[in-house]
Amino acid sequence: MKHIDIKKVLFDSDMVGTSVVVCGWVRTFRDSAQVSFLELSDGTSFEKLQVVIDKSALSVDPECTKLGASVVARGKVVKAYKGEGHELEAEAIAILGKCPPEYPIQKKRTTLEFLRGIPHLRLRTNTFQAVFRVRSVAAQAIHRYFHEHGYYYINAPLITASDCEGAGEMFRVTTHPWNAKYATEEEYCKNDFFGVKAGLSVSGQLEGEVAATALGKIYTFGPSFRAENSNTTRHLAEFWHIEPEIAFAELPDVIEIAEDLLKYLVRTVLEECAAEIKFFDSFVEKGLIEKLSHVAASDFAVCTYTEAIAILEKENANFHFPVHWGSDLQSEHEKYLTEQVFRRPVFVTDYPKEIKAFYMKQNPDGKTVAATDLLVPGIGEIIGGSEREADYDKLVAAMRERGMDTSAYRQYLDLRLFGSVPHGGFGLGFERFVMYCTGMENIRDVTLFPRASKTIL
Ligand code: ATP
Ligand code: MN
């Protein structure tokens, strides 16, 4: 159907005085003695197009005035009577798809919880349209950032046989029918599709290292899968993961890149999604614009895990889980550090080796590794990264300490045998970034069809 995007009709000054055809869904209808007003949205802009109907000149099919109905309208573009932009003086309106009164998206504000129950329709609301516009702009910006900085875009496999870090969290991939009976797990896997135990990847990092130690700078941007049983507002079973990996990078380089990327993304969202961010600032998180502008303009804090523990220990009485040197930081501790102590994003570095992955570079103190998590207010961890252990013997020792089977990591170890280089990278959770930019508090509300434990909508 020949028609013009509402965004163009609304804001392109060349449109004034022309006759156009637009399509969209009815968002509001107001009626008065001489004129009535239809507001249409076609998804192309946050603002709606007001269609003005002169009742003496045009009689409109009542179906076209129902909330949620889809219509096609022809008319003349004129300057808006009030405010900026344009409106449409209707010459003809026809129904495309009727919408009965059972339509669950009604004008009064509904709860996010209610909308979670209708994931196929919630995108018709302002909130979700805004979320998904921000999400799209952020995704484009991620590719643009890396492309402009000379990174190659790599697609790591989603089906993997290595169950490295995420052993307990890995979803199995199998074609066995439910009643298959085998004496041992080995026999079971041998007869399975791949002939070995396979699962969905929890991270593309190990493959990313393969690419980075040849191409220099790479990134992946794809889904990761984790069978997390923790039913939190920050975890999904399927989430999108941005994982740059950089040859010749040490921990301070990794931190610098992560900060630069995050600031670039925040700036881009502020510029390209101004209307959406203004909406979130008004209705979702008061002060959001100020928060994001501040983040884009000021330096992030950096502190070591050891310093963080010293700060947190003073507050132990107020924590659900008191901390001591060696404990993993829980969400309450992460939030306390970034929200109360630093009041801005903070990189925590050099964690005890026992609570981090085997591949992280061992520091000379023999106790910590060159890891970093970036914590942000409202969310906690948004990025996890590290310099990788580049020394063959140290890596093998770390794997043995953890009881890992080194033969399953032959290729990974080879990278340390043949021209090993210092390198590092990080993982940014895409949904967590979108939450951060929009102020949405539940990860399920920034994902089209969220997958979590006991949730597959
Ligand atoms: P957390 O401690 O919050 O569970 P993690 O330490 O397990 O995260 P990493 O393995 O460091 O996470 O993954 C890198 C990034 O991916 C995290 O900083 C986070 O932004 C994101 N992420 C990790 N797990 C999930 C998940 N289940 N759902 C959504 N995002 C996730
Ligand atoms: Mn982490």
PDB file of all heavy atoms in Angstrom, residues 285-319:
ATOM      1  N   GLU A 285      11.685   6.887  35.334  1.00  0.00           N
ATOM      2  CA  GLU A 285      12.742   7.194  36.301  1.00  0.00           C
ATOM      3  C   GLU A 285      12.981   8.697  36.307  1.00  0.00           C
ATOM      4  O   GLU A 285      13.616   9.233  35.395  1.00  0.00           O
ATOM      5  CB  GLU A 285      14.048   6.447  35.937  1.00  0.00           C
ATOM      6  CG  GLU A 285      15.176   6.707  36.931  1.00  0.00           C
ATOM      7  CD  GLU A 285      16.503   6.028  36.563  1.00  0.00           C
ATOM      8  OE1 GLU A 285      16.493   5.016  35.828  1.00  0.00           O
ATOM      9  OE2 GLU A 285      17.547   6.525  37.008  1.00  0.00           O
ATOM     10  N   LYS A 286      12.499   9.340  37.363  1.00  0.00           N
ATOM     11  CA  LYS A 286      12.708  10.795  37.467  1.00  0.00           C
ATOM     12  C   LYS A 286      14.209  11.083  37.525  1.00  0.00           C
ATOM     13  O   LYS A 286      14.944  10.421  38.248  1.00  0.00           O
ATOM     14  CB  LYS A 286      12.061  11.324  38.745  1.00  0.00           C
ATOM     15  CG  LYS A 286      10.549  11.204  38.752  1.00  0.00           C
ATOM     16  CD  LYS A 286       9.879  12.531  38.372  1.00  0.00           C
ATOM     17  CE  LYS A 286       8.358  12.422  38.330  1.00  0.00           C
ATOM     18  NZ  LYS A 286       7.813  11.658  37.199  1.00  0.00           N
ATOM     19  N   GLY A 287      14.657  12.066  36.744  1.00  0.00           N
ATOM     20  CA  GLY A 287      16.077  12.409  36.770  1.00  0.00           C
ATOM     21  C   GLY A 287      16.925  11.589  35.813  1.00  0.00           C
ATOM     22  O   GLY A 287      18.155  11.678  35.823  1.00  0.00           O
ATOM     23  N   LEU A 288      16.274  10.797  34.963  1.00  0.00           N
ATOM     24  CA  LEU A 288      17.020   9.926  34.042  1.00  0.00           C
ATOM     25  C   LEU A 288      17.931  10.721  33.105  1.00  0.00           C
ATOM     26  O   LEU A 288      19.091  10.359  32.899  1.00  0.00           O
ATOM     27  CB  LEU A 288      16.039   9.067  33.218  1.00  0.00           C
ATOM     28  CG  LEU A 288      16.654   8.140  32.192  1.00  0.00           C
ATOM     29  CD1 LEU A 288      17.423   7.010  32.872  1.00  0.00           C
ATOM     30  CD2 LEU A 288      15.583   7.547  31.260  1.00  0.00           C
ATOM     31  N   ILE A 289      17.412  11.817  32.558  1.00  0.00           N
ATOM     32  CA  ILE A 289      18.212  12.594  31.595  1.00  0.00           C
ATOM     33  C   ILE A 289      19.470  13.115  32.273  1.00  0.00           C
ATOM     34  O   ILE A 289      20.575  13.034  31.726  1.00  0.00           O
ATOM     35  CB  ILE A 289      17.393  13.770  31.013  1.00  0.00           C
ATOM     36  CG1 ILE A 289      16.202  13.203  30.207  1.00  0.00           C
ATOM     37  CG2 ILE A 289      18.258  14.676  30.138  1.00  0.00           C
ATOM     38  CD1 ILE A 289      15.288  14.261  29.632  1.00  0.00           C
ATOM     39  N   GLU A 290      19.290  13.613  33.496  1.00  0.00           N
ATOM     40  CA  GLU A 290      20.436  14.131  34.229  1.00  0.00           C
ATOM     41  C   GLU A 290      21.434  13.011  34.510  1.00  0.00           C
ATOM     42  O   GLU A 290      22.642  13.179  34.342  1.00  0.00           O
ATOM     43  CB  GLU A 290      19.939  14.752  35.536  1.00  0.00           C
ATOM     44  CG  GLU A 290      20.896  15.757  36.107  1.00  0.00           C
ATOM     45  CD  GLU A 290      20.463  16.168  37.510  1.00  0.00           C
ATOM     46  OE1 GLU A 290      19.261  16.429  37.717  1.00  0.00           O
ATOM     47  OE2 GLU A 290      21.342  16.201  38.393  1.00  0.00           O
ATOM     48  N   LYS A 291      20.921  11.866  34.917  1.00  0.00           N
ATOM     49  CA  LYS A 291      21.791  10.719  35.201  1.00  0.00           C
ATOM     50  C   LYS A 291      22.612  10.347  33.965  1.00  0.00           C
ATOM     51  O   LYS A 291      23.839  10.212  34.036  1.00  0.00           O
ATOM     52  CB  LYS A 291      20.943   9.514  35.650  1.00  0.00           C
ATOM     53  CG  LYS A 291      21.751   8.222  35.808  1.00  0.00           C
ATOM     54  CD  LYS A 291      20.875   7.003  36.122  1.00  0.00           C
ATOM     55  CE  LYS A 291      20.573   6.200  34.877  1.00  0.00           C
ATOM     56  NZ  LYS A 291      19.836   4.939  35.150  1.00  0.00           N
ATOM     57  N   LEU A 292      21.938  10.223  32.832  1.00  0.00           N
ATOM     58  CA  LEU A 292      22.638   9.783  31.622  1.00  0.00           C
ATOM     59  C   LEU A 292      23.614  10.854  31.132  1.00  0.00           C
ATOM     60  O   LEU A 292      24.720  10.530  30.695  1.00  0.00           O
ATOM     61  CB  LEU A 292      21.630   9.415  30.531  1.00  0.00           C
ATOM     62  CG  LEU A 292      20.728   8.206  30.831  1.00  0.00           C
ATOM     63  CD1 LEU A 292      19.751   7.972  29.682  1.00  0.00           C
ATOM     64  CD2 LEU A 292      21.546   6.932  31.088  1.00  0.00           C
ATOM     65  N   SER A 293      23.211  12.121  31.212  1.00  0.00           N
ATOM     66  CA  SER A 293      24.112  13.189  30.762  1.00  0.00           C
ATOM     67  C   SER A 293      25.365  13.210  31.628  1.00  0.00           C
ATOM     68  O   SER A 293      26.476  13.406  31.131  1.00  0.00           O
ATOM     69  CB  SER A 293      23.425  14.557  30.848  1.00  0.00           C
ATOM     70  OG  SER A 293      22.161  14.496  30.256  1.00  0.00           O
ATOM     71  N   HIS A 294      25.175  12.993  32.916  1.00  0.00           N
ATOM     72  CA  HIS A 294      26.292  12.974  33.849  1.00  0.00           C
ATOM     73  C   HIS A 294      27.236  11.808  33.539  1.00  0.00           C
ATOM     74  O   HIS A 294      28.462  11.959  33.498  1.00  0.00           O
ATOM     75  CB  HIS A 294      25.740  12.870  35.274  1.00  0.00           C
ATOM     76  CG  HIS A 294      26.783  12.860  36.331  1.00  0.00           C
ATOM     77  ND1 HIS A 294      27.577  13.953  36.597  1.00  0.00           N
ATOM     78  CD2 HIS A 294      27.166  11.891  37.200  1.00  0.00           C
ATOM     79  CE1 HIS A 294      28.407  13.652  37.569  1.00  0.00           C
ATOM     80  NE2 HIS A 294      28.187  12.407  37.959  1.00  0.00           N
ATOM     81  N   VAL A 295      26.645  10.651  33.264  1.00  0.00           N
ATOM     82  CA  VAL A 295      27.449   9.460  32.949  1.00  0.00           C
ATOM     83  C   VAL A 295      28.280   9.690  31.686  1.00  0.00           C
ATOM     84  O   VAL A 295      29.457   9.336  31.619  1.00  0.00           O
ATOM     85  CB  VAL A 295      26.529   8.230  32.769  1.00  0.00           C
ATOM     86  CG1 VAL A 295      27.252   7.107  32.041  1.00  0.00           C
ATOM     87  CG2 VAL A 295      26.043   7.755  34.131  1.00  0.00           C
ATOM     88  N   ALA A 296      27.658  10.337  30.702  1.00  0.00           N
ATOM     89  CA  ALA A 296      28.356  10.554  29.431  1.00  0.00           C
ATOM     90  C   ALA A 296      29.506  11.535  29.594  1.00  0.00           C
ATOM     91  O   ALA A 296      30.469  11.510  28.828  1.00  0.00           O
ATOM     92  CB  ALA A 296      27.364  11.055  28.389  1.00  0.00           C
ATOM     93  N   ALA A 297      29.423  12.392  30.606  1.00  0.00           N
ATOM     94  CA  ALA A 297      30.396  13.484  30.704  1.00  0.00           C
ATOM     95  C   ALA A 297      31.473  13.299  31.766  1.00  0.00           C
ATOM     96  O   ALA A 297      32.499  13.958  31.725  1.00  0.00           O
ATOM     97  CB  ALA A 297      29.648  14.796  30.970  1.00  0.00           C
ATOM     98  N   SER A 298      31.251  12.411  32.741  1.00  0.00           N
ATOM     99  CA  SER A 298      32.241  12.353  33.821  1.00  0.00           C
ATOM    100  C   SER A 298      32.946  10.997  33.874  1.00  0.00           C
ATOM    101  O   SER A 298      32.479  10.006  33.307  1.00  0.00           O
ATOM    102  CB  SER A 298      31.571  12.656  35.153  1.00  0.00           C
ATOM    103  OG  SER A 298      30.442  11.842  35.313  1.00  0.00           O
ATOM    104  N   ASP A 299      34.064  10.976  34.598  1.00  0.00           N
ATOM    105  CA  ASP A 299      34.864   9.748  34.670  1.00  0.00           C
ATOM    106  C   ASP A 299      34.208   8.723  35.591  1.00  0.00           C
ATOM    107  O   ASP A 299      33.638   9.073  36.613  1.00  0.00           O
ATOM    108  CB  ASP A 299      36.256  10.080  35.211  1.00  0.00           C
ATOM    109  CG  ASP A 299      37.067  10.852  34.194  1.00  0.00           C
ATOM    110  OD1 ASP A 299      36.690  10.826  32.999  1.00  0.00           O
ATOM    111  OD2 ASP A 299      38.070  11.480  34.587  1.00  0.00           O
ATOM    112  N   PHE A 300      34.343   7.477  35.216  1.00  0.00           N
ATOM    113  CA  PHE A 300      33.865   6.411  36.084  1.00  0.00           C
ATOM    114  C   PHE A 300      34.888   6.227  37.205  1.00  0.00           C
ATOM    115  O   PHE A 300      36.063   6.536  37.032  1.00  0.00           O
ATOM    116  CB  PHE A 300      33.720   5.083  35.318  1.00  0.00           C
ATOM    117  CG  PHE A 300      32.662   5.092  34.239  1.00  0.00           C
ATOM    118  CD1 PHE A 300      31.928   6.231  33.953  1.00  0.00           C
ATOM    119  CD2 PHE A 300      32.385   3.936  33.510  1.00  0.00           C
ATOM    120  CE1 PHE A 300      30.952   6.234  32.953  1.00  0.00           C
ATOM    121  CE2 PHE A 300      31.416   3.931  32.520  1.00  0.00           C
ATOM    122  CZ  PHE A 300      30.699   5.079  32.241  1.00  0.00           C
ATOM    123  N   ALA A 301      34.418   5.703  38.321  1.00  0.00           N
ATOM    124  CA  ALA A 301      35.336   5.429  39.423  1.00  0.00           C
ATOM    125  C   ALA A 301      35.993   4.058  39.218  1.00  0.00           C
ATOM    126  O   ALA A 301      35.480   3.217  38.476  1.00  0.00           O
ATOM    127  CB  ALA A 301      34.576   5.458  40.743  1.00  0.00           C
ATOM    128  N   VAL A 302      37.151   3.875  39.845  1.00  0.00           N
ATOM    129  CA  VAL A 302      37.824   2.577  39.829  1.00  0.00           C
ATOM    130  C   VAL A 302      38.241   2.274  41.262  1.00  0.00           C
ATOM    131  O   VAL A 302      38.785   3.149  41.947  1.00  0.00           O
ATOM    132  CB  VAL A 302      39.094   2.588  38.949  1.00  0.00           C
ATOM    133  CG1 VAL A 302      39.727   1.202  38.887  1.00  0.00           C
ATOM    134  CG2 VAL A 302      38.782   3.078  37.538  1.00  0.00           C
ATOM    135  N   CYS A 303      37.969   1.065  41.747  1.00  0.00           N
ATOM    136  CA  CYS A 303      38.492   0.690  43.057  1.00  0.00           C
ATOM    137  C   CYS A 303      38.756  -0.806  43.074  1.00  0.00           C
ATOM    138  O   CYS A 303      38.122  -1.558  42.337  1.00  0.00           O
ATOM    139  CB  CYS A 303      37.557   1.137  44.178  1.00  0.00           C
ATOM    140  SG  CYS A 303      36.367  -0.035  44.752  1.00  0.00           S
ATOM    141  N   THR A 304      39.716  -1.226  43.876  1.00  0.00           N
ATOM    142  CA  THR A 304      40.012  -2.657  43.900  1.00  0.00           C
ATOM    143  C   THR A 304      38.980  -3.372  44.766  1.00  0.00           C
ATOM    144  O   THR A 304      38.327  -2.758  45.616  1.00  0.00           O
ATOM    145  CB  THR A 304      41.410  -2.939  44.492  1.00  0.00           C
ATOM    146  OG1 THR A 304      41.387  -2.562  45.879  1.00  0.00           O
ATOM    147  CG2 THR A 304      42.497  -2.191  43.750  1.00  0.00           C
ATOM    148  N   TYR A 305      38.871  -4.645  44.534  1.00  0.00           N
ATOM    149  CA  TYR A 305      37.990  -5.477  45.358  1.00  0.00           C
ATOM    150  C   TYR A 305      38.370  -5.332  46.825  1.00  0.00           C
ATOM    151  O   TYR A 305      37.501  -5.197  47.693  1.00  0.00           O
ATOM    152  CB  TYR A 305      38.118  -6.930  44.897  1.00  0.00           C
ATOM    153  CG  TYR A 305      37.495  -7.935  45.840  1.00  0.00           C
ATOM    154  CD1 TYR A 305      36.159  -8.308  45.722  1.00  0.00           C
ATOM    155  CD2 TYR A 305      38.248  -8.516  46.866  1.00  0.00           C
ATOM    156  CE1 TYR A 305      35.592  -9.225  46.590  1.00  0.00           C
ATOM    157  CE2 TYR A 305      37.693  -9.429  47.740  1.00  0.00           C
ATOM    158  CZ  TYR A 305      36.365  -9.778  47.593  1.00  0.00           C
ATOM    159  OH  TYR A 305      35.812 -10.682  48.466  1.00  0.00           O
ATOM    160  N   THR A 306      39.674  -5.324  47.108  1.00  0.00           N
ATOM    161  CA  THR A 306      40.137  -5.236  48.503  1.00  0.00           C
ATOM    162  C   THR A 306      39.674  -3.931  49.146  1.00  0.00           C
ATOM    163  O   THR A 306      39.196  -3.919  50.281  1.00  0.00           O
ATOM    164  CB  THR A 306      41.674  -5.371  48.543  1.00  0.00           C
ATOM    165  OG1 THR A 306      42.015  -6.618  47.914  1.00  0.00           O
ATOM    166  CG2 THR A 306      42.205  -5.364  49.961  1.00  0.00           C
ATOM    167  N   GLU A 307      39.773  -2.819  48.391  1.00  0.00           N
ATOM    168  CA  GLU A 307      39.265  -1.536  48.900  1.00  0.00           C
ATOM    169  C   GLU A 307      37.752  -1.594  49.091  1.00  0.00           C
ATOM    170  O   GLU A 307      37.217  -1.076  50.087  1.00  0.00           O
ATOM    171  CB  GLU A 307      39.606  -0.404  47.912  1.00  0.00           C
ATOM    172  CG  GLU A 307      41.077  -0.024  47.913  1.00  0.00           C
ATOM    173  CD  GLU A 307      41.516   0.729  46.634  1.00  0.00           C
ATOM    174  OE1 GLU A 307      40.677   0.921  45.716  1.00  0.00           O
ATOM    175  OE2 GLU A 307      42.685   1.114  46.567  1.00  0.00           O
ATOM    176  N   ALA A 308      37.071  -2.218  48.130  1.00  0.00           N
ATOM    177  CA  ALA A 308      35.602  -2.305  48.206  1.00  0.00           C
ATOM    178  C   ALA A 308      35.180  -3.063  49.462  1.00  0.00           C
ATOM    179  O   ALA A 308      34.255  -2.648  50.165  1.00  0.00           O
ATOM    180  CB  ALA A 308      35.044  -2.981  46.950  1.00  0.00           C
ATOM    181  N   ILE A 309      35.889  -4.160  49.755  1.00  0.00           N
ATOM    182  CA  ILE A 309      35.536  -4.959  50.943  1.00  0.00           C
ATOM    183  C   ILE A 309      35.734  -4.127  52.213  1.00  0.00           C
ATOM    184  O   ILE A 309      34.902  -4.158  53.124  1.00  0.00           O
ATOM    185  CB  ILE A 309      36.368  -6.262  50.992  1.00  0.00           C
ATOM    186  CG1 ILE A 309      35.909  -7.216  49.885  1.00  0.00           C
ATOM    187  CG2 ILE A 309      36.288  -6.939  52.356  1.00  0.00           C
ATOM    188  CD1 ILE A 309      34.505  -7.770  50.053  1.00  0.00           C
ATOM    189  N   ALA A 310      36.819  -3.345  52.248  1.00  0.00           N
ATOM    190  CA  ALA A 310      37.071  -2.513  53.433  1.00  0.00           C
ATOM    191  C   ALA A 310      35.919  -1.526  53.650  1.00  0.00           C
ATOM    192  O   ALA A 310      35.482  -1.296  54.780  1.00  0.00           O
ATOM    193  CB  ALA A 310      38.399  -1.775  53.274  1.00  0.00           C
ATOM    194  N   ILE A 311      35.407  -0.988  52.540  1.00  0.00           N
ATOM    195  CA  ILE A 311      34.276  -0.048  52.636  1.00  0.00           C
ATOM    196  C   ILE A 311      33.016  -0.782  53.099  1.00  0.00           C
ATOM    197  O   ILE A 311      32.288  -0.329  53.985  1.00  0.00           O
ATOM    198  CB  ILE A 311      34.013   0.616  51.260  1.00  0.00           C
ATOM    199  CG1 ILE A 311      35.203   1.497  50.857  1.00  0.00           C
ATOM    200  CG2 ILE A 311      32.715   1.407  51.274  1.00  0.00           C
ATOM    201  CD1 ILE A 311      35.175   1.952  49.405  1.00  0.00           C
ATOM    202  N   LEU A 312      32.789  -1.935  52.497  1.00  0.00           N
ATOM    203  CA  LEU A 312      31.541  -2.670  52.762  1.00  0.00           C
ATOM    204  C   LEU A 312      31.500  -3.239  54.183  1.00  0.00           C
ATOM    205  O   LEU A 312      30.432  -3.288  54.802  1.00  0.00           O
ATOM    206  CB  LEU A 312      31.375  -3.806  51.740  1.00  0.00           C
ATOM    207  CG  LEU A 312      31.129  -3.364  50.289  1.00  0.00           C
ATOM    208  CD1 LEU A 312      31.267  -4.550  49.335  1.00  0.00           C
ATOM    209  CD2 LEU A 312      29.737  -2.745  50.143  1.00  0.00           C
ATOM    210  N   GLU A 313      32.663  -3.658  54.673  1.00  0.00           N
ATOM    211  CA  GLU A 313      32.689  -4.291  56.007  1.00  0.00           C
ATOM    212  C   GLU A 313      32.139  -3.357  57.089  1.00  0.00           C
ATOM    213  O   GLU A 313      31.527  -3.807  58.054  1.00  0.00           O
ATOM    214  CB  GLU A 313      34.112  -4.745  56.359  1.00  0.00           C
ATOM    215  CG  GLU A 313      34.401  -6.149  55.830  1.00  0.00           C
ATOM    216  CD  GLU A 313      35.824  -6.611  56.124  1.00  0.00           C
ATOM    217  OE1 GLU A 313      36.730  -5.744  56.205  1.00  0.00           O
ATOM    218  OE2 GLU A 313      36.022  -7.842  56.249  1.00  0.00           O
ATOM    219  N   LYS A 314      32.342  -2.062  56.869  1.00  0.00           N
ATOM    220  CA  LYS A 314      31.819  -1.092  57.849  1.00  0.00           C
ATOM    221  C   LYS A 314      30.296  -1.087  57.890  1.00  0.00           C
ATOM    222  O   LYS A 314      29.696  -0.591  58.843  1.00  0.00           O
ATOM    223  CB  LYS A 314      32.321   0.321  57.495  1.00  0.00           C
ATOM    224  CG  LYS A 314      33.807   0.465  57.627  1.00  0.00           C
ATOM    225  CD  LYS A 314      34.208   1.945  57.493  1.00  0.00           C
ATOM    226  CE  LYS A 314      35.662   2.063  57.110  1.00  0.00           C
ATOM    227  NZ  LYS A 314      35.899   2.904  55.946  1.00  0.00           N
ATOM    228  N   GLU A 315      29.688  -1.598  56.822  1.00  0.00           N
ATOM    229  CA  GLU A 315      28.230  -1.588  56.720  1.00  0.00           C
ATOM    230  C   GLU A 315      27.630  -2.973  56.945  1.00  0.00           C
ATOM    231  O   GLU A 315      26.437  -3.180  56.719  1.00  0.00           O
ATOM    232  CB  GLU A 315      27.809  -1.112  55.318  1.00  0.00           C
ATOM    233  CG  GLU A 315      28.009   0.351  55.070  1.00  0.00           C
ATOM    234  CD  GLU A 315      27.174   1.224  55.990  1.00  0.00           C
ATOM    235  OE1 GLU A 315      25.986   0.897  56.194  1.00  0.00           O
ATOM    236  OE2 GLU A 315      27.725   2.206  56.523  1.00  0.00           O
ATOM    237  N   ASN A 316      28.463  -3.915  57.377  1.00  0.00           N
ATOM    238  CA  ASN A 316      28.011  -5.305  57.441  1.00  0.00           C
ATOM    239  C   ASN A 316      26.696  -5.501  58.202  1.00  0.00           C
ATOM    240  O   ASN A 316      25.892  -6.362  57.838  1.00  0.00           O
ATOM    241  CB  ASN A 316      29.106  -6.192  58.040  1.00  0.00           C
ATOM    242  CG  ASN A 316      29.877  -6.925  56.949  1.00  0.00           C
ATOM    243  OD1 ASN A 316      29.407  -6.975  55.799  1.00  0.00           O
ATOM    244  ND2 ASN A 316      31.024  -7.492  57.276  1.00  0.00           N
ATOM    245  N   ALA A 317      26.500  -4.674  59.227  1.00  0.00           N
ATOM    246  CA  ALA A 317      25.285  -4.829  60.042  1.00  0.00           C
ATOM    247  C   ALA A 317      24.027  -4.609  59.221  1.00  0.00           C
ATOM    248  O   ALA A 317      22.967  -5.147  59.533  1.00  0.00           O
ATOM    249  CB  ALA A 317      25.340  -3.849  61.206  1.00  0.00           C
ATOM    250  N   ASN A 318      24.149  -3.802  58.148  1.00  0.00           N
ATOM    251  CA  ASN A 318      22.963  -3.486  57.345  1.00  0.00           C
ATOM    252  C   ASN A 318      22.766  -4.407  56.149  1.00  0.00           C
ATOM    253  O   ASN A 318      21.821  -4.230  55.387  1.00  0.00           O
ATOM    254  CB  ASN A 318      23.054  -2.037  56.845  1.00  0.00           C
ATOM    255  CG  ASN A 318      23.112  -1.064  57.994  1.00  0.00           C
ATOM    256  OD1 ASN A 318      22.417  -1.260  58.999  1.00  0.00           O
ATOM    257  ND2 ASN A 318      23.962  -0.055  57.894  1.00  0.00           N
ATOM    258  N   PHE A 319      23.691  -5.354  55.966  1.00  0.00           N
ATOM    259  CA  PHE A 319      23.554  -6.244  54.807  1.00  0.00           C
ATOM    260  C   PHE A 319      22.878  -7.556  55.181  1.00  0.00           C
ATOM    261  O   PHE A 319      23.063  -8.074  56.285  1.00  0.00           O
ATOM    262  CB  PHE A 319      24.929  -6.542  54.191  1.00  0.00           C
ATOM    263  CG  PHE A 319      25.558  -5.357  53.506  1.00  0.00           C
ATOM    264  CD1 PHE A 319      26.910  -5.069  53.697  1.00  0.00           C
ATOM    265  CD2 PHE A 319      24.822  -4.541  52.665  1.00  0.00           C
ATOM    266  CE1 PHE A 319      27.499  -3.984  53.068  1.00  0.00           C
ATOM    267  CE2 PHE A 319      25.403  -3.453  52.028  1.00  0.00           C
ATOM    268  CZ  PHE A 319      26.744  -3.181  52.236  1.00  0.00           C
TER     269      PHE A 319
END
